[in-house]
Amino acid sequence: MIPYGRQSISADDIKAVVDVLESDWLTQGPAIERFESAVAEYCGARYAVAVNSATSALHIACLAAGLKQGDMLWTSPNTFVASANCGLYCGADVDFVDIHPRTYNMDVEALDDKLGKAAVSGKLPKVLIPVHFSGQSCDMSAIGDFAKQYGITVIEDASHAIGGRYKGHKIGSCVFSDMTVFSFHPVKIITTGEGGMVLTNRRDLYEQLIKLRSHGITRDPAMMDCKPHGSWYYQQIELGFNYRMTDIQAALGDSQMKRLDEFVVRRNFLAQRYDQLLAGLPIQLPTVMPENRSAFHLYAIRLKLDEISKTHQQVFEELRNNGVGVNLHYIPVHTQPYYRRLGFKQGDFPQAERYYDEAISIPMYYGLTDEKQEIVIDIVKKVLR
Ligand SMILES: *Cc1c(COP(=O)(O)O)cnc(C)c1O
């Protein structure tokens, strides 16, 4: 089976991990700072905070933004559940903005419309989480303008998108947002096994994030309410968590950062080849807007079902039965039973639902060889014929 995504681990990556295992520090050592600096520098952001998953990163980013009970968080329905769950962790309410029919990202016209109505009814969100689906940035300059106008904190869920660019800025630069979150799960662009990171240019948010990552504890005398009792002294000044990343993971991440550009070049090459060799089939190929360079975490095709004699499910199963490990991103979050119990229902976000009825993610990863890609293309053609 050719999987839809897969990590690439080099001899240098392995050596970096082994070096940590043989060192004095397995966690809270020097590899974390090295990895954080590498990502911050690459993206052009001032601060980076490594944590044990993007889910943790989203949680502490929301807390740093001050999200709490009685507040509202908006995100895209076409995402992994974590982009919405982080709002619920904070006791806030969650709502969604439907997607654009071609980029599958949050639709800024729908956002504009919903914000206008929310401003009238006094129900504006405190936090907005645009999700850069498949590695392509949302229209962040428009979203950033809305956020300024309405006083909203923007957290980019860039779990798919490290190595991508928008209007000449690296994703993660936080030029149009307050914070950006990356995931380092093995299917994402670079991996630490499990892991995530929050980037920001704001010192106040950075200080909050650092505290929340590690139990709400500080060792900085300036933040304490009394003089330190001695050099052992620390104070817990917030309710934080243990969301720390290990040095073992950070060393792998730092080593993977050196390969990031190569990963994204290869993914873009594979995408172009799919674009060329799948043209003419009854499918909608991905659309990348001219201001974007996608990191191509996913290559999602969309079936034109009125031109195909099979159902979506039949095409999906036939691809899998022929050895193509396809997947589906995403089941609209608002249709999950947990969210339906909160009051959402089928029909609430029709673009995301229609996309779900037609989409299939076909294999896309750095180690996908030209030969394997040709096999995928041949099988896709055979199944759709
Ligand atoms: C993978 C993913 C997450 C969660 O990442 P973890 O590191 O697994 O916690 C969140 N949002 C999106 C869009 C993702 O793809």
Side-chain angles (χ1 to χ4, degrees):
M1 182 82 89
I2 301 172
Y4 86 92
R6 190 189 146 78
Q7 72 276 12
S8 163
I9 302 295
S10 69
D12 283 347
D13 292 337
I14 292 168
K15 182 173 184 305
V17 171
V18 171
D19 285 349
V20 170
L21 291 172
E22 290 172 343
S23 79
D24 293 335
W25 304 94
L26 296 188
T27 194
Q28 290 187 283
I32 293 287
E33 272 179 38
R34 265 204 320 274
F35 182 35
E36 288 173 340
S37 302
V39 178
E41 218 163 276
Y42 179 91
C43 296
R46 219 163 281 155
Y47 307 106
V49 179
V51 289
N52 58 5
S53 71
T55 303
S56 305
L58 287 163
H59 183 195
I60 62 172
C62 287
L63 288 172
L67 191 71
K68 58 184 188 311
Q69 193 163 12
D71 293 332
M72 181 76 91
L73 176 150
W74 289 3
T75 187
S76 168
N78 183 35
T79 187
F80 185 57
V81 292
S83 317
N85 289 346
C86 56
L88 304 180
Y89 296 159
C90 300
D93 293 317
V94 168
D95 201 357
F96 303 91
V97 181
D98 210 351
I99 59 169
H100 188 274
R102 289 302 282 276
T103 63
Y104 321 135
N105 275 333
M106 183 181 282
D107 184 346
V108 292
E109 273 177 41
L111 176 63
D112 188 12
D113 191 53
K114 195 170 172 112
L115 284 169
K117 287 180 182 144
V120 172
S121 62
K123 286 180 177 161
L124 282 166
K126 180 164 204 161
V127 168
L128 182 69
I129 303 192
V131 180
H132 303 324
F133 179 77
S134 77
Q136 165 164 233
S137 176
C138 296
D139 187 355
M140 287 309 301
S141 62
I143 290 172
D145 287 347
F146 292 138
K148 277 204 196 80
Q149 182 186 343
Y150 293 107
I152 301 166
T153 301
V154 178
I155 303 167
E156 299 173 62
D157 184 343
S159 292
H160 300 183
I162 192 168
R165 281 199 301 271
Y166 169 77
K167 293 194 173 171
H169 300 282
K170 289 267 172 57
I171 292 175
S173 65
C174 301
V175 169
F176 306 99
S177 68
D178 297 281
M179 289 173 270
T180 301
V181 166
F182 292 133
S183 171
F184 308 125
H185 181 279
V187 296
K188 308 294 164 74
I189 309 281
I190 65 165
T191 190
T192 60
E194 294 276 0
M197 199 176 279
V198 190
L199 281 79
T200 184
N201 292 319
R202 282 176 50 184
R203 177 94 206 164
D204 59 327
L205 293 174
Y206 172 69
E207 284 173 358
Q208 276 300 106
L209 293 166
I210 289 286
K211 271 183 289 180
L212 290 165
R213 166 173 72 177
S214 197
H215 307 283
I217 280 171
T218 185
R219 290 177 182 277
D220 178 359
M223 290 186 181
M224 295 180 186
D225 67 354
C226 68
K227 274 216 177 93
H229 300 171
S231 57
W232 69 85
Y233 196 65
Y234 60 83
Q235 279 192 342
Q236 186 196 342
I237 55 179
E238 308 273 345
L239 184 60
F241 308 88
N242 180 355
Y243 281 170
R244 292 187 304 264
M245 177 183 277
T246 67
D247 268 41
I248 305 166
Q249 294 167 302
L252 177 56
D254 186 43
S255 180
Q256 291 252 302
M257 275 306 287
K258 300 186 175 91
R259 307 174 62 209
L260 172 57
D261 283 336
E262 194 190 327
F263 287 167
V264 174
V265 165
R266 176 72 188 165
R267 285 171 177 274
N268 272 271
F269 174 83
L270 290 167
Q272 266 182 12
R273 204 148 172 267
Y274 273 141
D275 288 350
Q276 281 163 13
L277 298 174
L278 296 175
L281 291 174
I283 52 179
Q284 178 65 54
L285 300 173
T287 306
V288 179
M289 293 302 184
E291 67 269 24
N292 281 319
R293 177 170 170 81
S294 177
F296 271 108
H297 164 52
L298 300 174
Y299 191 91
I301 60 172
R302 199 168 169 169
L303 306 182
K304 294 180 179 168
L305 287 168
D306 48 359
E307 298 174 29
I308 302 169
S309 60
K310 296 170 181 169
T311 65
H312 180 234
Q313 195 187 347
Q314 275 171 338
V315 172
F316 190 97
E317 302 303 346
E318 281 185 34
L319 288 169
R320 278 215 175 159
N321 293 339
N322 281 279
V324 180
V326 289
N327 214 315
L328 213 178
H329 304 90
Y330 284 99
I331 306 162
V333 178
H334 69 282
T335 67
Q336 295 286 358
Y338 189 85
Y339 280 85
R340 278 188 297 175
R341 267 183 262 139
L342 298 177
F344 294 100
K345 57 186 190 311
Q346 196 73 27
D348 282 349
F349 303 99
Q351 293 293 346
E353 292 168 24
R354 179 150 181 224
Y355 172 73
Y356 170 62
D357 289 338
E358 300 169 352
I360 297 177
S361 301
I362 64 175
M364 169 56 79
Y365 53 93
Y366 173 76
L368 183 65
T369 60
D370 291 6
E371 294 73 29
K372 280 202 175 128
Q373 190 187 27
E374 279 154 26
I375 294 171
V376 172
I377 290 163
D378 286 345
I379 294 170
V380 169
K381 283 183 173 167
K382 192 181 96 186
V383 169
L384 288 177
R385 198 173 291 132

